[in-house]
């Protein structure tokens, strides 16, 4: 009886070892996932100086036709109020949010937090960089009360 029990025990031990083995799939810890490419934003720097009143006037016109559907200056609407955005955000951030909101949502924690708070992503208005710069100038003017 003892001799017939040992082969069965050996077979169970071998099956147990085989069941504990790894899969043929590559070990994700051993092969690091390649880093996702950085999101390229359209604006890396903005030169701002004293408020350019003519550019701000142009920006006001664009703002009133393109932005007021979702934004008010002093109160929450569909999007956040923008009256003090020039004080809260860097000029590059504002320009990139105007020009490429979908890319900002991919790469910027503040943009992602705004989406979480307002539940509506900012619509890309397909503005030119010059139009976005004019809106930035208008927002700077509003903030400074000029």
């Amino acid at each position: 009886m003892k001799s017939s029990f040992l082969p069965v025990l050996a077979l169970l031990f071998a099956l147990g070892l085989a069941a504990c083995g790894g899969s043929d799939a590559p070990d994700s810890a051993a092969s690091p996932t390649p880093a996702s490419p950085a999101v390229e934003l359209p604006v890396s720097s903005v030169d701002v100086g004293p408020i350019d009143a003519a550019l701000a006037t142009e920006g006001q016109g664009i703002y009133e036709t393109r932005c007021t559907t979702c934004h008010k200056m002093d109160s929450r609407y569909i999007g956040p109020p923008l009256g003090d955005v020039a004080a809260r955000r860097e000029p590059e951030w504002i320009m990139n949010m105007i020009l490429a909101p979908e890319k900002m949502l991919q790469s910027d924690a503040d943009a992602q937090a705004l989406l979480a708070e307002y539940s509506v992503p900012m619509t890309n208005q397909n503005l030119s960089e010059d139009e976005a710069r004019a809106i930035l100038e208008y927002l700077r003017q509003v903030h400074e009360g000029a």
Side-chain angles (χ1 to χ4, degrees):
M1 174 147 185
K2 187 176 180 183
S3 63
S4 66
F5 180 70
L6 284 175
V8 171
L9 185 60
L11 179 62
L12 289 174
F13 181 73
L15 289 173
L17 285 176
C20 292
S23 70
D24 292 336
D27 184 3
S28 62
S31 57
T33 304
S36 61
V39 174
E40 188 172 325
L41 297 170
V43 177
S44 60
S45 68
V46 179
D47 290 327
V48 293
I51 300 291
D52 179 333
L55 186 59
T57 299
E58 179 186 342
Q60 181 178 6
I62 298 166
Y63 175 86
E64 289 174 355
T65 59
R66 296 293 194 68
C67 305
T68 54
T69 302
C70 296
H71 295 281
K72 294 187 179 280
M73 285 295 176
D74 298 321
S75 61
R76 179 186 175 111
Y77 196 42
I78 294 171
L82 297 180
D84 66 343
V85 70
R88 292 183 287 116
R89 307 285 184 200
E90 294 296 320
E92 295 82 7
W93 192 95
I94 295 169
M95 294 274 295
N96 284 321
M97 199 64 188
I98 293 170
L99 293 170
E102 60 285 332
K103 289 182 177 181
M104 289 292 281
L105 287 175
Q106 292 174 357
S107 64
D108 185 86
D110 290 338
Q112 293 165 359
L114 286 170
L115 176 60
E117 181 177 351
Y118 289 89
S119 303
V120 177
M122 183 166 157
T123 302
N124 189 331
Q125 299 288 320
N126 296 311
L127 298 174
S128 69
E129 192 167 323
D130 289 342
E131 291 170 318
R133 179 64 182 88
I135 292 171
L136 171 64
E137 199 68 3
Y138 173 60
L139 294 172
R140 291 180 61 222
Q141 184 182 56
V142 167
H143 170 66
E144 293 187 10

